[in-house]
Amino acid sequence: MGVLNVTPDSFSDGGELPTPQAVVDRAGKMLEQGADVLDLGGESTRPDAKPVDATIELMRVLPALESVRKAFPAAPISIDTYKAEVAEAAVKAGADMVNDIWGCAHGLTSAGRHHWKPANLQQSPMAQVVAKLKCPIILMHNRPDKNYEDFWKDVVHDLSLSLMLAQWAGVAREQIWLDPGFGFAKDAAQNLEVLKNLARVTALGFPVLLGTSRKSTIGRVLDNAPATERLDGTAATVVWGIQQGAAMVRLHDIAPMKKFIRMADAIRAGAEWKD
């Protein structure tokens, strides 16, 4: 999955794609380098980023989306948003799937996530839209804070809530992906823990997307390396993630990661690998 951010303030590539044509050019390059899916986002999700309303987000993503869809009719496109109205408009404009960093649970408090009960769970607008559109969705682990009573128990609990919200609304099981939320509501040690034991997430029985590309935890480990100097660290997380069962990886840098991905896939295949 190649990252296409049409934002002025994303942590490593904000402002790099100021026009629809710039997005088309970057998308074409990523597809040539081997990207299978393009992930288009119009709101930065870096720590301390200012949220934007749906109107602004749509003004950013729809022209870019329509241009990419026209240039590459067969390319799978994901819309990176947690807003139901943005997801619906984007899918109707040509996006194929939704990548929701809040896992259909945006607006629920930490307390609500800990103490939810099936009998009184509120409907999720995002889940309802996705069910109506019959498109795939990626449910990422997230929460408004980093207060965990038991880290893994809480992570699995939160993902189970997201799964319940999606399936309760009518999203088909085969349309659902999970994402452990590397870099979201976790400190560096927790990010490393979720990557080290990613198999706990894949064991839930859904394909898993892993998004570690250029993130700050990698910089922390590599002596505070800036985002542009985190390729080697990203490669290590990608290889480890694939060995733990990740089915897709979200990347800013397709070309330098492609060989690592192919080799990791071959190792995981073992005796079943075919040239």
mmCIF file of all heavy atoms in Angstrom, residues 171-198:
data_model
loop_
_atom_site.group_PDB
_atom_site.id
_atom_site.type_symbol
_atom_site.label_atom_id
_atom_site.label_comp_id
_atom_site.label_asym_id
_atom_site.label_seq_id
_atom_site.Cartn_x
_atom_site.Cartn_y
_atom_site.Cartn_z
ATOM 1 N N VAL A 171 -21.451 -5.268 7.901
ATOM 2 C CA VAL A 171 -20.250 -5.426 7.083
ATOM 3 C C VAL A 171 -19.881 -6.909 7.047
ATOM 4 O O VAL A 171 -19.761 -7.552 8.100
ATOM 5 C CB VAL A 171 -19.071 -4.602 7.644
ATOM 6 C CG1 VAL A 171 -17.824 -4.803 6.780
ATOM 7 C CG2 VAL A 171 -19.432 -3.129 7.733
ATOM 8 N N ALA A 172 -19.713 -7.445 5.856
ATOM 9 C CA ALA A 172 -19.394 -8.863 5.715
ATOM 10 C C ALA A 172 -18.003 -9.168 6.272
ATOM 11 O O ALA A 172 -17.072 -8.365 6.109
ATOM 12 C CB ALA A 172 -19.458 -9.278 4.250
ATOM 13 N N ARG A 173 -17.866 -10.309 6.908
ATOM 14 C CA ARG A 173 -16.587 -10.689 7.513
ATOM 15 C C ARG A 173 -15.440 -10.642 6.505
ATOM 16 O O ARG A 173 -14.340 -10.178 6.815
ATOM 17 C CB ARG A 173 -16.706 -12.096 8.112
ATOM 18 C CG ARG A 173 -15.422 -12.585 8.766
ATOM 19 C CD ARG A 173 -15.528 -14.011 9.275
ATOM 20 N NE ARG A 173 -14.255 -14.452 9.804
ATOM 21 C CZ ARG A 173 -13.875 -14.319 11.066
ATOM 22 N NH1 ARG A 173 -14.695 -13.762 11.928
ATOM 23 N NH2 ARG A 173 -12.690 -14.743 11.467
ATOM 24 N N GLU A 174 -15.704 -11.095 5.281
ATOM 25 C CA GLU A 174 -14.634 -11.148 4.277
ATOM 26 C C GLU A 174 -14.225 -9.774 3.766
ATOM 27 O O GLU A 174 -13.268 -9.660 3.004
ATOM 28 C CB GLU A 174 -15.055 -12.036 3.103
ATOM 29 C CG GLU A 174 -16.282 -11.581 2.350
ATOM 30 C CD GLU A 174 -17.564 -12.157 2.902
ATOM 31 O OE1 GLU A 174 -17.575 -12.622 4.071
ATOM 32 O OE2 GLU A 174 -18.568 -12.162 2.157
ATOM 33 N N GLN A 175 -14.928 -8.721 4.185
ATOM 34 C CA GLN A 175 -14.586 -7.354 3.791
ATOM 35 C C GLN A 175 -13.736 -6.646 4.843
ATOM 36 O O GLN A 175 -13.388 -5.477 4.662
ATOM 37 C CB GLN A 175 -15.872 -6.537 3.565
ATOM 38 C CG GLN A 175 -16.736 -7.017 2.415
ATOM 39 C CD GLN A 175 -16.198 -6.580 1.069
ATOM 40 O OE1 GLN A 175 -15.050 -6.845 0.725
ATOM 41 N NE2 GLN A 175 -17.026 -5.913 0.299
ATOM 42 N N ILE A 176 -13.395 -7.324 5.920
ATOM 43 C CA ILE A 176 -12.743 -6.661 7.057
ATOM 44 C C ILE A 176 -11.252 -7.000 7.144
ATOM 45 O O ILE A 176 -10.857 -8.159 7.050
ATOM 46 C CB ILE A 176 -13.441 -7.065 8.372
ATOM 47 C CG1 ILE A 176 -14.901 -6.579 8.372
ATOM 48 C CG2 ILE A 176 -12.696 -6.499 9.576
ATOM 49 C CD1 ILE A 176 -15.699 -7.066 9.565
ATOM 50 N N TRP A 177 -10.463 -5.949 7.347
ATOM 51 C CA TRP A 177 -9.042 -6.057 7.662
ATOM 52 C C TRP A 177 -8.822 -5.452 9.048
ATOM 53 O O TRP A 177 -9.613 -4.624 9.505
ATOM 54 C CB TRP A 177 -8.191 -5.275 6.663
ATOM 55 C CG TRP A 177 -8.048 -5.879 5.309
ATOM 56 C CD1 TRP A 177 -9.045 -6.110 4.399
ATOM 57 C CD2 TRP A 177 -6.835 -6.310 4.706
ATOM 58 N NE1 TRP A 177 -8.522 -6.668 3.263
ATOM 59 C CE2 TRP A 177 -7.169 -6.788 3.413
ATOM 60 C CE3 TRP A 177 -5.511 -6.329 5.109
ATOM 61 C CZ2 TRP A 177 -6.203 -7.295 2.540
ATOM 62 C CZ3 TRP A 177 -4.552 -6.821 4.247
ATOM 63 C CH2 TRP A 177 -4.905 -7.313 2.974
ATOM 64 N N LEU A 178 -7.720 -5.826 9.691
ATOM 65 C CA LEU A 178 -7.312 -5.219 10.957
ATOM 66 C C LEU A 178 -5.949 -4.560 10.813
ATOM 67 O O LEU A 178 -5.151 -4.931 9.954
ATOM 68 C CB LEU A 178 -7.259 -6.272 12.072
ATOM 69 C CG LEU A 178 -8.572 -6.956 12.450
ATOM 70 C CD1 LEU A 178 -8.316 -7.985 13.546
ATOM 71 C CD2 LEU A 178 -9.618 -5.943 12.889
ATOM 72 N N ASP A 179 -5.698 -3.581 11.670
ATOM 73 C CA ASP A 179 -4.419 -2.878 11.728
ATOM 74 C C ASP A 179 -4.103 -2.675 13.205
ATOM 75 O O ASP A 179 -4.947 -2.160 13.945
ATOM 76 C CB ASP A 179 -4.546 -1.535 11.001
ATOM 77 C CG ASP A 179 -3.251 -0.722 10.960
ATOM 78 O OD1 ASP A 179 -2.433 -0.849 11.890
ATOM 79 O OD2 ASP A 179 -3.079 0.072 10.023
ATOM 80 N N PRO A 180 -2.909 -3.074 13.681
ATOM 81 C CA PRO A 180 -2.605 -2.967 15.115
ATOM 82 C C PRO A 180 -2.396 -1.541 15.599
ATOM 83 O O PRO A 180 -2.273 -1.312 16.807
ATOM 84 C CB PRO A 180 -1.313 -3.777 15.256
ATOM 85 C CG PRO A 180 -0.654 -3.656 13.925
ATOM 86 C CD PRO A 180 -1.786 -3.673 12.926
ATOM 87 N N GLY A 181 -2.341 -0.564 14.690
ATOM 88 C CA GLY A 181 -2.211 0.828 15.109
ATOM 89 C C GLY A 181 -0.832 1.199 15.620
ATOM 90 O O GLY A 181 -0.699 1.938 16.607
ATOM 91 N N PHE A 182 0.201 0.734 14.944
ATOM 92 C CA PHE A 182 1.576 1.123 15.286
ATOM 93 C C PHE A 182 1.677 2.649 15.182
ATOM 94 O O PHE A 182 1.398 3.236 14.141
ATOM 95 C CB PHE A 182 2.553 0.450 14.315
ATOM 96 C CG PHE A 182 4.009 0.663 14.628
ATOM 97 C CD1 PHE A 182 4.730 -0.313 15.296
ATOM 98 C CD2 PHE A 182 4.666 1.817 14.227
ATOM 99 C CE1 PHE A 182 6.092 -0.147 15.565
ATOM 100 C CE2 PHE A 182 6.016 1.994 14.495
ATOM 101 C CZ PHE A 182 6.731 1.018 15.161
ATOM 102 N N GLY A 183 2.070 3.298 16.289
ATOM 103 C CA GLY A 183 2.207 4.755 16.277
ATOM 104 C C GLY A 183 0.973 5.501 16.743
ATOM 105 O O GLY A 183 0.976 6.729 16.784
ATOM 106 N N PHE A 184 -0.082 4.786 17.116
ATOM 107 C CA PHE A 184 -1.313 5.433 17.553
ATOM 108 C C PHE A 184 -1.651 5.006 18.979
ATOM 109 O O PHE A 184 -1.806 3.821 19.259
ATOM 110 C CB PHE A 184 -2.471 5.061 16.623
ATOM 111 C CG PHE A 184 -2.380 5.692 15.261
ATOM 112 C CD1 PHE A 184 -1.575 5.136 14.285
ATOM 113 C CD2 PHE A 184 -3.096 6.842 14.962
ATOM 114 C CE1 PHE A 184 -1.485 5.712 13.025
ATOM 115 C CE2 PHE A 184 -3.006 7.423 13.707
ATOM 116 C CZ PHE A 184 -2.199 6.863 12.738
ATOM 117 N N ALA A 185 -1.780 5.997 19.880
ATOM 118 C CA ALA A 185 -2.147 5.754 21.278
ATOM 119 C C ALA A 185 -1.213 4.748 21.941
ATOM 120 O O ALA A 185 -1.643 3.932 22.759
ATOM 121 C CB ALA A 185 -3.601 5.305 21.384
ATOM 122 N N LYS A 186 0.056 4.808 21.580
ATOM 123 C CA LYS A 186 1.052 3.900 22.150
ATOM 124 C C LYS A 186 2.370 4.638 22.261
ATOM 125 O O LYS A 186 2.720 5.435 21.373
ATOM 126 C CB LYS A 186 1.244 2.658 21.268
ATOM 127 C CG LYS A 186 -0.028 1.832 21.062
ATOM 128 C CD LYS A 186 0.168 0.770 20.002
ATOM 129 C CE LYS A 186 -1.141 0.072 19.685
ATOM 130 N NZ LYS A 186 -2.121 0.951 18.976
ATOM 131 N N ASP A 187 3.127 4.372 23.332
ATOM 132 C CA ASP A 187 4.475 4.921 23.404
ATOM 133 C C ASP A 187 5.412 4.010 22.615
ATOM 134 O O ASP A 187 4.989 2.985 22.049
ATOM 135 C CB ASP A 187 4.924 5.102 24.858
ATOM 136 C CG ASP A 187 4.950 3.809 25.665
ATOM 137 O OD1 ASP A 187 5.134 2.717 25.076
ATOM 138 O OD2 ASP A 187 4.796 3.881 26.897
ATOM 139 N N ALA A 188 6.679 4.380 22.557
ATOM 140 C CA ALA A 188 7.623 3.630 21.719
ATOM 141 C C ALA A 188 7.711 2.169 22.129
ATOM 142 O O ALA A 188 7.715 1.262 21.292
ATOM 143 C CB ALA A 188 9.002 4.286 21.773
ATOM 144 N N ALA A 189 7.773 1.909 23.435
ATOM 145 C CA ALA A 189 7.883 0.524 23.895
ATOM 146 C C ALA A 189 6.626 -0.266 23.532
ATOM 147 O O ALA A 189 6.715 -1.442 23.145
ATOM 148 C CB ALA A 189 8.106 0.495 25.410
ATOM 149 N N GLN A 190 5.471 0.353 23.624
ATOM 150 C CA GLN A 190 4.227 -0.336 23.262
ATOM 151 C C GLN A 190 4.146 -0.582 21.760
ATOM 152 O O GLN A 190 3.643 -1.619 21.322
ATOM 153 C CB GLN A 190 3.031 0.477 23.756
ATOM 154 C CG GLN A 190 2.890 0.460 25.266
ATOM 155 C CD GLN A 190 1.938 1.514 25.790
ATOM 156 O OE1 GLN A 190 1.674 2.523 25.132
ATOM 157 N NE2 GLN A 190 1.427 1.299 26.986
ATOM 158 N N ASN A 191 4.647 0.348 20.972
ATOM 159 C CA ASN A 191 4.704 0.117 19.528
ATOM 160 C C ASN A 191 5.575 -1.092 19.208
ATOM 161 O O ASN A 191 5.220 -1.934 18.365
ATOM 162 C CB ASN A 191 5.256 1.353 18.804
ATOM 163 C CG ASN A 191 4.250 2.468 18.717
ATOM 164 O OD1 ASN A 191 3.058 2.239 18.531
ATOM 165 N ND2 ASN A 191 4.714 3.700 18.838
ATOM 166 N N LEU A 192 6.717 -1.178 19.874
ATOM 167 C CA LEU A 192 7.604 -2.318 19.646
ATOM 168 C C LEU A 192 6.960 -3.614 20.129
ATOM 169 O O LEU A 192 7.102 -4.664 19.496
ATOM 170 C CB LEU A 192 8.939 -2.079 20.346
ATOM 171 C CG LEU A 192 9.770 -0.927 19.772
ATOM 172 C CD1 LEU A 192 10.967 -0.626 20.667
ATOM 173 C CD2 LEU A 192 10.227 -1.211 18.348
ATOM 174 N N GLU A 193 6.227 -3.550 21.213
ATOM 175 C CA GLU A 193 5.539 -4.732 21.731
ATOM 176 C C GLU A 193 4.475 -5.216 20.760
ATOM 177 O O GLU A 193 4.348 -6.420 20.509
ATOM 178 C CB GLU A 193 4.903 -4.409 23.087
ATOM 179 C CG GLU A 193 3.985 -5.481 23.641
ATOM 180 C CD GLU A 193 4.694 -6.800 23.920
ATOM 181 O OE1 GLU A 193 5.928 -6.797 24.139
ATOM 182 O OE2 GLU A 193 4.004 -7.839 23.922
ATOM 183 N N VAL A 194 3.690 -4.276 20.195
ATOM 184 C CA VAL A 194 2.631 -4.687 19.275
ATOM 185 C C VAL A 194 3.225 -5.271 18.000
ATOM 186 O O VAL A 194 2.640 -6.165 17.379
ATOM 187 C CB VAL A 194 1.671 -3.509 18.988
ATOM 188 C CG1 VAL A 194 2.158 -2.615 17.869
ATOM 189 C CG2 VAL A 194 0.263 -4.004 18.685
ATOM 190 N N LEU A 195 4.404 -4.809 17.603
ATOM 191 C CA LEU A 195 5.074 -5.372 16.431
ATOM 192 C C LEU A 195 5.705 -6.724 16.765
ATOM 193 O O LEU A 195 5.564 -7.686 16.001
ATOM 194 C CB LEU A 195 6.143 -4.402 15.936
ATOM 195 C CG LEU A 195 6.925 -4.819 14.700
ATOM 196 C CD1 LEU A 195 6.004 -5.040 13.507
ATOM 197 C CD2 LEU A 195 7.982 -3.764 14.355
ATOM 198 N N LYS A 196 6.358 -6.794 17.926
ATOM 199 C CA LYS A 196 6.999 -8.045 18.333
ATOM 200 C C LYS A 196 5.992 -9.193 18.369
ATOM 201 O O LYS A 196 6.287 -10.313 17.944
ATOM 202 C CB LYS A 196 7.626 -7.874 19.723
ATOM 203 C CG LYS A 196 8.229 -9.149 20.301
ATOM 204 C CD LYS A 196 8.753 -8.916 21.717
ATOM 205 C CE LYS A 196 9.290 -10.211 22.311
ATOM 206 N NZ LYS A 196 9.764 -10.006 23.709
ATOM 207 N N ASN A 197 4.801 -8.926 18.869
ATOM 208 C CA ASN A 197 3.784 -9.965 19.028
ATOM 209 C C ASN A 197 2.596 -9.733 18.104
ATOM 210 O O ASN A 197 1.442 -9.950 18.505
ATOM 211 C CB ASN A 197 3.335 -10.028 20.490
ATOM 212 C CG ASN A 197 4.419 -10.585 21.390
ATOM 213 O OD1 ASN A 197 4.837 -11.727 21.222
ATOM 214 N ND2 ASN A 197 4.881 -9.778 22.322
ATOM 215 N N LEU A 198 2.868 -9.307 16.875
ATOM 216 C CA LEU A 198 1.809 -9.055 15.903
ATOM 217 C C LEU A 198 0.956 -10.302 15.662
ATOM 218 O O LEU A 198 -0.215 -10.198 15.309
ATOM 219 C CB LEU A 198 2.421 -8.578 14.580
ATOM 220 C CG LEU A 198 1.442 -8.119 13.498
ATOM 221 C CD1 LEU A 198 0.672 -6.887 13.950
ATOM 222 C CD2 LEU A 198 2.189 -7.846 12.194
#
